[in-house]
């Protein structure tokens, strides 16, 4: 029996399962899905999408065929991708560079996903493999059938271990050589019990482990923590073709969390989309200052939100932190603003801060 047939068999068993049995079935299903997506070790290598990362972040354009991904890539980056009124015009990953006020971000137009991509249909494996490397997923949806497309895409990505707009479960899992399974929880567990936890661990042949649970996790959350291969990616839902629906429907969609409404055809709301991409990547602009010289506000340094002074030093030069003495910071993170604050490597900077680093 092949892996796909085993997955179908488990789905049938779910209907008559108890909570405990359901937890074991979910663990088995997650394992089979992971095996299904593993590349074969023997035989010729399949064609993949080898695109080197560039810029300060990677945004993956994911969606069904003919939702406007290639048109959006051309509008935002000037990169020409095959555009036509029929489906499956994009057959490989096409990169473009999105300039957001001087910050270069890589935007990848991926081939359209089809239903069943998580089982390897179409070019699903390659598309999903690239999505796992993204810093932000931009899910392109046709506004006339967006809710259905959104549910199907979320199911496909969920099936292969991509968790959208979710945080990693606060579960510490450590294997050991002997001593059995020890389970400690700092909060009451209302969605999973100790019997299910032990059953899931045994289904993965884990008989000696220390488990610390610091939040009220579900069965799926615990399986994710045990596997340790899940990818937690922020996602921005982008509804295209809003010129084809009513203003009331546009207003309803625009108020949903993590959502932007646009029209590529009429260039509507594309500037706001750039802003939301920047926010989704969780990046900050800061400025550096030499002693006795005014800061160069035309050449920002791009770092992650809540980056420390040590990370700022690494962004300037990888050896700078080794010779660090102290730094002066002007801006929102200075508690003496508008005056500077003298800080160490652990200080967290904020957007538009000015930093002057002094070495030994």
């Amino acid at each position: 029996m092949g892996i796909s047939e085993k997955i179908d068999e488990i789905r049938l068993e779910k209907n008559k399962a108890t909570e405990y049995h359901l937890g074991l079935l979910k663990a088995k299903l997650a394992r089979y899905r992971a095996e299904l997506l593993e590349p074969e070790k023997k035989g010729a290598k399949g064609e993949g999408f080898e695109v080197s990362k560039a810029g300060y972040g990677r945004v993956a354009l994911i969606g069904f065929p003919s939702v406007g991904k290639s048109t959006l890539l051309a509008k935002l980056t000037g990169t020409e991708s095959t555009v036509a009124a029929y489906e499956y015009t994009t057959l490989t990953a096409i990169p473009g560079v999105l300039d957001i006020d001087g910050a270069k971000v890589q935007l990848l137009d991926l081939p359209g996903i089809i239903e069943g991509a998580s089982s390897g249909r179409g070019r699903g494996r390659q598309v999903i493999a690239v999505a796992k490397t993204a810093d932000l997923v931009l899910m392109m949806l046709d506004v006339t059938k967006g809710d259905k497309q959104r549910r199907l895409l979320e199911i496909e990505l969920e099936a292969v271990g991509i968790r959208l707009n979710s945080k990693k479960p606060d579960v510490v899992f450590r294997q050991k050589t002997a001593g059995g399974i020890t389970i400690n929880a700092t909060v009451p567990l209302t969605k999973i019990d100790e019997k299910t936890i032990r059953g899931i661990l045994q289904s993965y042949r884990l008989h000696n482990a220390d488990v610390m649970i610091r939040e009220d996790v579900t069965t799926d959350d615990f399986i994710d923590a045990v596997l340790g291969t899940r990818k937690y990616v922020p996602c921005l839902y982008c509804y295209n073709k809003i010129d084809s629906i009513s203003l009331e429907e546009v207003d309803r969609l625009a108020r949903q969390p993590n959502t932007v409404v646009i029209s590529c055809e009429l260039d509507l709301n594309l500037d706001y989309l750039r802003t939301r991409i920047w926010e989704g990547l969780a990046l900050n602009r800061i400025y550096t200052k030499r002693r006795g010289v005014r800061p160069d506000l035309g050449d920002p340094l791009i770092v992650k939100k809540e980056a420390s002074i040590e990370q700022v030093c690494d962004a300037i030069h990888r050896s700078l932190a080794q010779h660090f003495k102290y730094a002066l910071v002007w801006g929102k993170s200075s508690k003496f603003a508008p005056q500077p604050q003298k800080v160490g490597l652990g200080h967290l900077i904020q957007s538009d801060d000015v930093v002057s680093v002094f070495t030994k």
Side-chain angles (χ1 to χ4, degrees):
M1 184 185 295
I3 293 176
S4 297
E5 288 77 14
K6 290 179 181 178
I7 291 174
D8 291 336
E9 184 181 349
I10 289 173
R11 285 174 179 158
L12 292 174
E13 289 183 45
K14 276 186 176 182
N15 296 327
K16 50 187 178 182
T18 62
E19 281 298 318
Y20 168 72
H21 187 48
L22 187 60
L24 300 187
L25 288 176
K26 285 181 176 180
K28 190 184 294 185
L29 185 61
R31 187 170 71 250
Y32 285 151
R33 280 173 172 163
E35 291 175 6
L36 190 63
L37 288 170
E38 285 179 1
E40 295 181 8
K41 296 179 180 179
K42 296 181 181 180
K45 292 184 179 180
E47 183 183 352
F49 304 141
E50 295 183 4
V51 181
S52 300
K53 268 196 169 185
Y56 293 105
R58 168 178 281 185
V59 180
L61 271 170
I62 288 181
F64 283 100
S66 297
V67 293
K69 300 189 303 297
S70 299
T71 303
L72 182 65
L73 181 75
K75 296 277 187 179
L76 294 182
T77 70
T79 302
E80 291 301 323
S81 180
T82 305
V83 179
Y86 52 86
E87 297 184 346
Y88 310 110
T89 51
T90 301
L91 301 177
T92 187
I94 300 175
V97 178
L98 174 61
D99 191 318
I100 306 178
D101 295 335
K104 307 295 184 184
V105 174
Q106 186 181 59
L107 189 61
L108 277 183
D109 178 16
L110 298 174
I113 282 183
I114 61 174
E115 192 172 353
S118 60
S119 301
R121 288 188 64 198
R123 309 207 69 184
R125 294 188 185 186
Q126 293 98 321
V127 172
I128 288 165
V130 174
K132 284 189 172 184
T133 69
D135 301 299
L136 174 70
V137 168
L138 185 60
M139 188 181 290
M140 285 288 290
L141 303 164
D142 185 330
V143 75
T144 60
K145 42 191 172 182
D147 289 340
K148 180 182 178 182
Q149 287 187 344
R150 175 171 169 172
R151 284 195 300 272
L152 290 172
L153 286 171
E154 287 175 338
I155 289 169
E156 295 296 334
L157 296 176
E158 180 86 11
V160 295
I162 296 178
R163 302 293 181 255
L164 302 177
N165 297 325
S166 300
K167 64 182 183 68
K168 188 176 181 180
D170 195 357
V171 176
V172 179
F173 175 78
R174 183 175 64 86
Q175 285 187 253
K176 55 187 182 181
T177 56
I181 295 173
T182 304
I183 301 170
N184 291 297
T186 59
V187 296
L189 300 179
T190 62
K191 303 169 186 174
I192 190 172
D193 56 26
E194 185 172 323
K195 180 182 177 183
T196 304
I197 291 173
R198 292 182 181 275
I200 290 170
L201 292 174
Q202 288 170 2
S203 72
Y204 284 102
R205 296 182 176 85
L206 298 172
H207 306 292
N208 299 286
D210 289 328
V211 180
M212 173 65 75
I213 303 175
R214 295 170 177 159
E215 65 175 306
D216 190 14
V217 296
T218 63
T219 301
D220 293 322
D221 290 335
F222 184 73
I223 292 171
D224 287 350
V226 172
L227 288 174
T229 56
R230 299 321 194 200
K231 177 71 174 177
Y232 298 86
V233 187
C235 177
L236 188 60
Y237 300 99
C238 183
Y239 288 87
N240 189 25
K241 307 178 185 179
I242 59 171
D243 50 299
S244 61
I245 60 172
S246 67
L247 286 175
E248 290 79 10
E249 183 65 9
V250 171
D251 183 67
R252 183 189 71 83
L253 290 171
R255 294 179 184 277
Q256 294 182 3
N258 306 308
T259 299
V260 178
V261 292
I262 67 167
S263 171
C264 288
E265 189 70 25
L266 300 180
D267 291 349
L268 293 177
N269 222 23
L270 297 186
D271 287 339
Y272 181 59
L273 175 59
R274 291 172 185 267
T275 301
R276 292 297 300 272
I277 290 174
W278 176 263
E279 293 171 354
L281 289 170
L283 296 173
N284 268 343
R285 293 182 187 85
I286 65 166
Y287 305 91
T288 56
K289 178 185 178 304
R290 295 178 180 272
R291 186 184 304 181
V293 180
R294 295 179 67 84
D296 183 1
L297 301 181
D299 185 20
L301 185 68
I302 310 300
V303 294
K304 282 290 186 181
K305 272 190 179 178
E306 297 187 353
S308 66
I309 290 293
E310 183 174 8
Q311 291 168 314
V312 171
C313 290
D314 291 339
I316 297 171
H317 194 279
R318 58 186 176 185
S319 66
L320 184 58
Q322 300 173 7
H323 306 286
F324 178 86
K325 186 176 182 182
Y326 67 90
L328 291 178
V329 177
W330 291 260
K332 298 175 186 176
S333 71
S334 170
K335 61 183 179 182
F336 306 123
Q339 300 301 315
Q341 179 184 353
K342 185 178 179 180
V343 299
L345 287 172
H347 180 80
L348 300 181
I349 55 93
Q350 293 188 34
S351 179
D352 298 322
D353 277 357
V354 176
V355 179
S356 185
V357 177
F358 294 82
T359 55
K360 298 174 183 176

